[in-house]
Amino acid sequence: EKVSVSTKALIGRINRKLAKNDEKLKTAREGTRLFGNVGKYYIVNSYKNMVTDTHIDLDKLGRKLDALKGYEILED
């Protein structure tokens, strides 16, 4: 049986993993120019002060970073 993980919890897990590389997952508000350019979720490198990745799929990134285990599923 799959265990549900909230979006907020997954973002926290991902940010703890990304912090090791001076990176952070950010959320853009819908309807803004930023949202149109980078999508809902994007990654910023705080050391370089630049966007390093855009249009992030939370589920895929969570699994890639091992922040979301095989027995867990992201809540909608």
Side-chain angles (χ1 to χ4, degrees):
E1 187 174 318
K2 299 282 184 177
V3 177
S4 292
V5 175
S6 70
T7 301
K8 185 176 179 180
L10 181 57
I11 289 172
R13 290 179 184 183
I14 288 171
N15 277 330
R16 283 189 289 281
K17 299 270 186 180
L18 292 175
K20 296 170 186 169
N21 298 323
D22 297 317
E23 292 181 324
K24 186 170 186 175
L25 182 71
K26 299 267 203 169
T27 305
R29 291 193 191 123
E30 289 189 43
T32 62
R33 182 180 294 175
L34 181 63
F35 183 86
N37 290 336
V38 299
K40 185 167 185 175
Y41 301 106
Y42 61 103
I43 296 176
V44 174
N45 183 304
S46 57
Y47 183 73
K48 296 178 183 175
N49 196 27
M50 63 183 276
V51 175
T52 57
D53 205 355
T54 61
H55 303 282
I56 301 291
D57 180 323
L58 277 184
D59 189 79
K60 285 182 184 176
L61 180 62
R63 295 199 189 281
K64 179 181 171 188
L65 295 175
D66 202 32
L68 196 60
K69 306 293 182 190
Y71 60 87
E72 295 175 322
I73 189 166
L74 181 60
E75 280 181 3
D76 286 335

